Each structure stands twice: as C-alpha cells, then as structure tokens.
Amino acid sequence: MSQQMPFKELMKVLGLGAVAFVLGVEGLNWLMRRLRDSRGPLKEVLFFPSPQVCVEHLFIRHKHFPCACPLPHGVETSFSRLLVHLLSARMSLDLCVFSFSHMELSRAILLLHKRGVVVRVVTDRDYMTITGSQIGVLRKAGICVRHEMSSAVHMHHKFALVDGKKLITGSLNWTLTAVQSNKENVMVTEEPELVGPYQQEFQKLWEANDPANHKPQCTNGQLNIKTCKDR
Amino acid sequence: MSQQMPFKELMKVLGLGAVAFVLGVEGLNWLMRRLRDSRGPLKEVLFFPSPQVCVEHLFIRHKHFPCACPLPHGVETSFSRLLVHLLSARMSLDLCVFSFSHMELSRAILLLHKRGVVVRVVTDRDYMTITGSQIGVLRKAGICVRHEMSSAVHMHHKFALVDGKKLITGSLNWTLTAVQSNKENVMVTEEPELVGPYQQEFQKLWEANDPANHKPQCTNGQLNIKTCKDR
C-alpha cells in the first residue's frame, strides 16, 4: 500500500535535493580547480617536423559533412596543436615572426581577424617581401603589420601572444619547410613569469617600429612609409 | 666589582650559544628554501641584441688583476647571463644548435670540456661548414659532434641542456650577428615539464644521427663518415 507524501514535505525534499546538487557541483568545481592549480599554468612542448594531416575541422566549426581531402583525418600533430592554440584567441593576437609564408597559418590569422580578434604583427624588413611571404596578404586584409625599421638588423623572433596570456615561442619560422621538414621546437605556456617579458618585448618593438616615429624615406619620388591605417 | 663566571658555566653558555647559532642558520636556510620554492623553478628571459661588455671575469676564476680591455666592466647583459648559465655546467652540456660561429661561446664550450664536463653537440649539416663555424674547432678539441644526416632537412633547433636540468632555448643562433645585432630571445628554465621533452628530443636526435647507424658515403675515394671517437 503506498502512502502519498504531503505537498509541503515533497517540496522540502526537492529543495534539499537541489541545494545538495548545487553544493556537489560547486564542490566538484573547487576540486577540479585545486587539481589544475596544483599542476600549475599550461606548459606544452611541440616538436617538428609535423606529418601532414587534415586540419580543416579546426577552421570550419559545426561542419556537418566529413572532409573529402586525401590527407589523414582525426590525427593530432604538433602543427594541429599549434593551430588549436592560435585559434583559441578571443581578444588579441600579437605576432612577432621573422619569416611568414605558411598558407594555413596565414589562413588562421585571417580567420581570427575576421572574427574580430585584434591582430598585430611585427616582422623582418627583408623577409617580409620574399616570394611567398604572407605579410602582403595580411596587410591587404586590414591587419596591422609593422616591420623592423633598421635594414642592418634582423627581427629574428618567432613568438606569438594569445589574448596577452598564452605565449607560443621557439625556433619555428612560419614557413612550410619549417613545419614539414626541419627539426624545430615550439613551447606553449601560460606561465606569467615567462609571458610577461615577451609581452613587454612585443610592446617595445611595436612602439619602436611605429612608422609615425620614423622619418619618411623618399624612393623614386614616392614615400615608402606606411602607417597602421594604411596597413 | 666584576665577578668571574665559573668555567663550567661559561662552557654551558658558549655551548648554548653555538646551538642557538646553528639552529638560527638552519632556520634561515629553511626560510630561504621555502621562499625559493614558493617562486617555483628558475625562469629567466633574455632579449638580444646585447651590448658589448667585458666577460673576461666569467672565464678566469680568481683573477687578481682587473682586465685592461677597453670594453665596459662589471656590467650584466643578456649575453653575460647566457654565459653564466652555460658555464654553470658541472656534469654535462647537451647542445643542439643550427649555426655556431660565436668565438666567446666556443671558448665557453671548450672551457667546460677542459673542466671535464661531458659536452655533446648536434648541429646542422650545411651550416657546420660555413666560414667561421666553430664546429671544427670543437671537434679538434675532442668534443663529440654529430650533425643532421639528411641533406634535405635543417636541424634548426637552438637549445642547450645544462646538467640535464636547466634548459636554454629560443630564437638565438650562436653567431655574433645574432648576439650583437638581431632582435632575439632566449629563455632559461629549470621547469621539469619543459626540460623533460627537450631532453628526450636531444637523445632522439643524438641517436638518430649516430654515424655508426648510417651507411658511409664515399666522396673522392675517401669515407666522409666520422664516429664520435674520431671526434
């Protein structure tokens, strides 16, 4: 014989259950946070060359049909991890790179720019104009690029700052040869003691190479100075 | 009127004083260790170009007369910090560097070798023979050098492992231009999560480029294979 629970009693049990559920979830969250904190900030090391795999799914969200390209699918590589970290930018991407001719990396930067992420690029004066360089493509898309002003100096860094808190740095230039052939390393970290100095260095280079602070140079009657607004 | 303390009493006071002193020093040590641990493992970032200063004192211990060279003395720079970290090696130095022509860095490596530090070098096949390369100098001194075996691939890393626990890595090739002119970065860390992968990478490259595992190539009637014993 079943006894019916009075309405008030039922509400009390349900209320207590809800409180217990919320507390349980909060407790679990707290435990997860503690566990994450005990491991410290993100530290990941990627080595290259990286095998060629399909990375289409990283560019196209909510794709309802599988990619038909002949490359292996569903495989995680150093290059796909690099793309994941770059595409995780929500607010800003500060990029300081010597040589940039990799098409997929260029596609990633253009996609971030399209999504409204503020992208700033500092690059080398000589290498930005070599065949295959993507610097012109970025500028045409409206991305602000500055280059090392001195012709006697190479801007040889290869680092990126994602949302001002994730540092991607190493030996890897953003070229196809570097990604697919060379022995290279890239380190990804959110360690504030490491991220901070690179942020300061980026800001220093950004300001030092502001074309507005440099005298325009006249070449064949034309000014070859470019401001950010000119791209 | 002075009262003389009995000998036994004096010894007791002195003994207690000594114990208090030792405990104090130990306590201070413990506090310093706790303070250091709370900051975590070493993390240092160096940016280049580095101004030219005298680094003679880093090479010659217990020098009783000041160096007479015209460079500034007693100044700490990114380059002097890099030297300090390299010269801190007591057991081993594993070096993986694309281009190596810097004379002072070569001097540091030769000094470590002379001190009995086990030095192993992996370098690029093409760049090891360019004008000014120090690779030949290291080999002649008896340091074991291996190079990337494939001619189609660049060994583009620029990292060093000091005593297997301190990682020095970045964009900096070991050349005078890189140190004195270029915009470059070097990170020094003892973070095990970062040091570990680089150690594995070094070991992988060391074994993969063991000349004993590669077929000798005959050039003009001479074998151009070198084993470690041949330097």
Side-chain angles (χ1 to χ4, degrees):
Chain A
M1 206 172 81
S2 73
Q3 268 191 321
Q4 216 176 354
M5 193 182 273
F7 181 73
K8 260 179 126 175
E9 203 65 22
L10 182 71
M11 288 307 287
K12 202 187 271 176
V13 168
L14 280 176
L16 280 171
V19 168
F21 177 76
V22 169
L23 284 176
V25 167
E26 279 300 310
L28 208 66
N29 250 341
W30 180 83
L31 262 173
M32 292 295 282
R33 264 202 314 275
R34 292 280 296 181
L35 205 66
R36 200 170 51 232
D37 289 351
S38 71
R39 285 202 312 265
L42 167 76
K43 291 170 211 87
E44 188 174 339
V45 183
L46 309 170
F47 290 106
F48 294 79
S50 183
Q52 258 189 291
V53 298
C54 178
V55 288
E56 203 54 31
H57 60 288
L58 300 177
F59 290 98
I60 303 169
R61 291 170 177 169
H62 320 300
K63 202 177 171 183
H64 296 298
F65 51 91
C67 176
C69 82
L71 293 171
H73 290 78
V75 185
E76 197 166 65
T77 64
S78 289
F79 183 63
S80 72
R81 291 295 302 154
L82 175 62
L83 274 178
V84 164
H85 285 299
L86 287 170
L87 290 169
S88 72
R90 293 288 169 266
M91 303 294 287
S92 67
L93 184 87
D94 290 336
L95 176 62
C96 210
V97 70
F98 174 60
S99 179
F100 187 172
S101 58
H102 197 291
M103 301 285 281
E104 295 284 2
L105 288 169
S106 176
R107 188 182 169 196
I109 303 306
L110 292 171
L111 182 59
L112 290 177
H113 175 63
K114 209 173 151 188
R115 284 181 189 163
V117 172
V118 179
V119 180
R120 299 189 294 175
V121 181
V122 177
T123 190
D124 186 65
R125 186 190 174 106
D126 297 337
Y127 273 71
M128 73 174 185
T129 49
I130 59 162
T131 314
S133 171
Q134 290 295 302
I135 296 298
V137 178
L138 303 186
R139 277 187 160 155
K140 272 185 202 144
I143 291 172
C144 200
V145 180
R146 291 183 183 176
H147 62 78
E148 172 59 51
M149 284 291 172
S150 163
S151 57
V153 166
H154 275 311
M155 205 305 299
H156 200 241
H157 290 301
K158 309 106 174 35
F159 71 84
L161 290 153
V162 177
D163 294 330
K165 64 178 185 189
K166 187 191 280 181
L167 168 69
I168 300 171
T169 187
S171 67
L172 187 97
N173 282 308
W174 286 26
T175 68
L176 198 66
T177 308
V179 170
Q180 288 183 9
S181 303
N182 289 356
K183 304 288 163 59
E184 307 269 7
N185 66 83
V186 166
M187 178 191 292
V188 186
T189 181
E190 288 181 350
E191 179 61 67
E193 280 180 73
L194 295 173
V195 178
Y198 282 86
Q199 261 192 309
Q200 286 168 26
E201 177 73 359
F202 184 88
Q203 199 55 35
K204 200 175 131 192
L205 292 176
W206 187 250
E207 284 160 20
N209 294 305
D210 181 351
N213 300 333
H214 292 261
K215 279 186 190 164
Q217 291 167 355
C218 213
T219 319
N220 295 330
Q222 286 189 316
L223 292 176
N224 73 352
I225 190 172
K226 283 195 179 78
T227 68
C228 250
K229 279 166 199 154
D230 301 325
R231 279 165 273 135
Chain B
M1 205 170 81
S2 71
Q3 268 190 318
Q4 215 176 354
M5 195 181 272
F7 181 73
K8 260 180 126 176
E9 202 66 19
L10 181 71
M11 288 307 286
K12 202 188 270 176
V13 168
L14 280 177
L16 279 171
V19 168
F21 177 76
V22 169
L23 283 176
V25 168
E26 279 300 309
L28 207 65
N29 251 340
W30 180 82
L31 262 173
M32 293 294 281
R33 265 204 312 277
R34 293 280 296 180
L35 204 66
R36 202 170 51 233
D37 290 350
S38 72
R39 286 202 312 264
L42 167 75
K43 290 169 213 87
E44 188 175 340
V45 184
L46 309 170
F47 290 106
F48 294 79
S50 183
Q52 259 188 289
V53 299
C54 179
V55 288
E56 202 54 30
H57 60 289
L58 301 177
F59 289 99
I60 302 169
R61 291 170 177 169
H62 320 300
K63 202 176 170 182
H64 296 298
F65 51 91
C67 176
C69 82
L71 293 172
H73 290 78
V75 185
E76 196 165 65
T77 64
S78 290
F79 182 63
S80 71
R81 290 294 303 154
L82 174 62
L83 275 178
V84 165
H85 285 299
L86 286 170
L87 290 169
S88 72
R90 293 287 167 270
M91 303 294 288
S92 67
L93 183 86
D94 291 336
L95 175 61
C96 209
V97 69
F98 174 60
S99 178
F100 188 171
S101 58
H102 197 291
M103 301 284 282
E104 295 284 2
L105 288 169
S106 175
R107 188 182 169 196
I109 303 305
L110 292 170
L111 182 61
L112 289 177
H113 175 63
K114 209 172 152 188
R115 283 182 190 162
V117 172
V118 179
V119 180
R120 300 188 293 176
V121 181
V122 177
T123 191
D124 186 66
R125 186 190 175 108
D126 297 336
Y127 273 72
M128 73 174 186
T129 50
I130 60 163
T131 313
S133 171
Q134 290 295 303
I135 295 298
V137 178
L138 303 186
R139 278 187 160 154
K140 271 183 202 144
I143 291 172
C144 199
V145 179
R146 291 182 183 177
H147 63 78
E148 172 60 49
M149 284 291 172
S150 163
S151 57
V153 167
H154 275 311
M155 204 304 299
H156 200 241
H157 289 301
K158 309 108 176 30
F159 71 84
L161 289 153
V162 177
D163 294 330
K165 64 179 184 186
K166 187 192 282 182
L167 168 69
I168 301 171
T169 186
S171 68
L172 188 98
N173 282 307
W174 286 26
T175 69
L176 199 65
T177 308
V179 170
Q180 288 183 9
S181 303
N182 288 356
K183 304 289 163 58
E184 307 270 7
N185 66 82
V186 166
M187 178 190 292
V188 186
T189 182
E190 288 181 350
E191 177 63 65
E193 279 179 75
L194 295 173
V195 177
Y198 282 86
Q199 261 192 309
Q200 286 168 27
E201 177 73 358
F202 183 87
Q203 200 54 35
K204 199 175 130 190
L205 291 176
W206 187 251
E207 283 160 22
N209 293 306
D210 182 351
N213 299 333
H214 292 262
K215 278 186 190 165
Q217 290 168 357
C218 213
T219 319
N220 296 330
Q222 285 188 318
L223 290 176
N224 72 352
I225 191 171
K226 283 194 180 78
T227 69
C228 250
K229 279 165 200 155
D230 300 325
R231 284 165 271 135

